[in-house]
Amino acid sequence: MIKTENLYKTFYGDNGENVNALVDVSTEIEQGEVVVVIGPSGSGKSTYLRCLNHLEVATKGHIWIDDVDILDQKTNINKVREEVGMVFQSFNLFPHKSVKENVNLAQRVVRKKTKNDAEIKTMELLEKVGISEKADMFPAQLSGGQQQRVAIARALAMHPKIMLFDEPTSALDPEMIGEVLDVMKSLAREGMTMVVVTHEMGFAKEVANRVIFMDQGAIVEEGTPEHFFKNPTHDRTKLFLSQIL
Amino acid sequence: MKTSSGLSRVNPLTYNLSMAGFIIGVIASMSLFVVATKAIDYTWRWYKIPSYFYGTTSYDVKADIQGTLESIVTKDKKTLIIVKGINDSEEYSLPESGNMLVSVGDNIYPGDIMAQYKKTGIGLLTKGILVTLEVSIYASIFGIIIGIIGGIMRISANPALKWTSIVYIELIRGSPLLVQIFIWYFVFAAIINGMLTSMGIHEISALWYGIAALSFFAGAYVTEIVRAGIESINIGQIEASRSLGMSSAQCMYHIVLPQALRRILPPLAGQFISLIKDSSLLGIIAVRELTKATREGITTSLQPYEFWFVCAILYLILTFTLSMFVQYLERRMETP
């Protein structure tokens, strides 16, 4: 489903100081798999996720989404992005549009659905994330957890094959994390292919098929949650786990 | 929004004294002005003003050529005077109710008043306001279109578009509007009208060159305002919409511009208020807007003081109405 091969990403600083955000990252994610990416801040996990839908352009290497090489100049990246939903740490809901319009918009504009069709799908999704009664409100009137659930519904409205989550609960008050994780868990149970960058180890243990640990732009260790949390092999992984658990 | 903060508290006595000082100052300066006009024997004739808004004005029918008055014909409520010269002839028409001062067979010389008539309708100042409004509305619409296009070009990754926009902004902002109006009228208009005439097409009136000058002038400032507005939108908004598969044009149209326009409404209003005031310069190229109309009113009435005050107040009414309208728009566009 997602295949990355020898992926490099370098940020070129103005003062000549370059940051190697990704160093030789190669991995493959199968359909229906839930992969959790963890690592200290600055380890390149968000950059990796953002490369997957071309929000960051990788410096070198290959990414195939559904056998389409997204780093190929000829690839229509908008078409690829329609199939890859993304949820951001800061929600990024459209503040000038109501909840319903937030979810409707891309269906209408990108998928060219009729207003009626879009609305039916929208209400179905808002029902699913448990927020249908707020359909006519504006993002600023919702709590963080509610906003993030709308953002998930907005991404799902495009019928994506893959969902990317970039620290979806990091900006939330502690008591709101659960409601967002619940939505993500139910999504995982339905067989959605998911790549999740998170600090929620509970979620990783419970839902992930595989955990990838990154440090300094490289994949240090990957494996099942059991392997990862019970007997990690690398010292760096052990150190990280000892610091956060 | 009213805020009261502990940092800006004023003692009531100081407050009242200051307020009294302000009122006394206003009254004193007004009285001083009245006294000063008395000292130079200026007679105020405010009663003359209303007829310049709406009323009956008397017009003279003057001859342009030398010759004999050939005929006076009344038809369809109009009187037609025909003056025949040695090798030319001229027709003059006036309403039937007009008062003839000459008769058939009289010798006519250029400048002779042949007849007088009165007409009731909107006066000079009202016409001036209408022209000012027309110019301002057109220039605002074109200005905002130019500004949005220019603003998007300004942040474009394409260097040709970006530098076109930068050069445009710098050229316009670097020279006085008056000079630009002259260039539009004495250079561009001369060339374009010359070409049109040679092709047998009607010339474009000075009004439109004036509108063009104001539009491009305002457009440069609006471009910078739009650019700032677009750049103020959080990058996350763009990422979110692009990650949904929207093209950059769709993202601009549905996400960035609506939010940016709402944010730039106050500076945009300021720009359009300036535009209304800047339109007063168009009198210089014979566009009869409010300021030019005021000057003409002064030549016929010989009451400069009243006219200039009225003129200033009329501009104030126009700009104040606009700023009220923008405040209303801002409230309407507000989302919770």
Side-chain angles (χ1 to χ4, degrees), chain A:
Chain A
M1 196 90 191
I2 307 173
K3 192 174 164 196
T4 50
E5 218 174 70
N6 312 108
L7 204 61
Y8 285 83
K9 171 72 189 177
T10 310
F11 291 105
Y12 297 99
D14 293 333
N15 49 3
E17 279 179 33
N18 301 335
V19 178
N20 295 316
L22 291 179
V23 183
D24 198 17
V25 173
S26 301
T27 185
E28 197 164 344
I29 295 164
E30 300 297 332
Q31 182 159 7
E33 210 179 1
V34 178
V35 174
V36 170
V37 185
I38 60 174
S41 75
S43 61
K45 52 195 193 309
S46 281
T47 307
Y48 170 65
L49 199 72
R50 289 162 60 82
C51 280
L52 294 184
N53 72 348
H54 215 256
L55 285 182
E56 301 288 355
V57 184
T59 316
K60 211 163 74 176
H62 294 282
I63 305 171
W64 288 274
I65 305 271
D66 245 359
D67 296 323
V68 177
D69 183 353
I70 69 164
L71 293 176
D72 188 341
Q73 289 287 332
K74 286 183 286 250
T75 304
N76 179 355
I77 192 63
N78 293 333
K79 276 272 165 279
V80 176
R81 282 179 179 146
E82 288 178 29
E83 312 298 332
V84 183
M86 177 128 184
V87 175
F88 300 85
Q89 179 177 358
S90 48
F91 330 132
N92 295 342
L93 291 180
F94 308 134
H96 61 303
K97 300 211 173 277
S98 71
V99 165
K100 201 158 72 179
E101 289 167 330
N102 261 279
V103 185
N104 272 346
L105 184 67
Q107 302 183 63
R108 307 257 292 123
V109 174
V110 181
R111 293 275 193 222
K112 309 287 179 207
K113 278 195 198 173
T114 65
K115 192 165 185 225
N116 240 344
D117 287 356
E119 206 118 299
I120 291 168
K121 182 74 188 165
T122 297
M123 289 319 287
E124 183 189 308
L125 284 167
L126 289 179
E127 197 81 45
K128 181 174 176 174
V129 300
I131 208 159
S132 53
E133 75 280 7
K134 311 259 187 211
D136 290 316
M137 290 195 158
F138 282 85
Q141 294 170 305
L142 304 183
S143 73
Q146 291 168 332
Q147 289 193 47
Q148 193 61 298
R149 283 186 281 151
V150 175
I152 295 174
R154 180 177 67 177
L156 289 176
M158 298 299 289
H159 291 275
K161 294 176 183 157
I162 301 164
M163 284 286 282
L164 308 176
F165 292 85
D166 188 5
E167 305 202 25
T169 55
S170 299
L172 297 178
D173 287 339
E175 74 269 26
M176 290 168 188
I177 291 174
E179 61 193 61
V180 173
L181 290 182
D182 286 344
V183 172
M184 290 167 65
K185 282 173 196 165
S186 76
L187 211 53
R189 277 196 295 275
E190 288 165 23
M192 176 65 78
T193 310
M194 291 162 64
V195 185
V196 185
V197 171
T198 187
H199 296 293
E200 293 299 320
M201 294 306 145
F203 179 82
K205 276 181 195 159
E206 191 181 337
V207 187
N209 302 109
R210 183 148 52 105
V211 177
I212 294 178
F213 175 66
M214 290 182 74
D215 188 31
Q216 296 184 345
I219 294 182
V220 176
E221 187 162 1
E222 57 182 309
T224 61
E226 293 79 37
H227 158 82
F228 195 81
F229 290 106
K230 296 227 169 77
N231 36 37
T233 40
H234 286 264
D235 290 342
R236 184 67 189 92
T237 318
K238 286 177 192 159
L239 177 67
F240 177 72
L241 288 173
S242 73
Q243 279 164 342
I244 59 159
L245 289 178

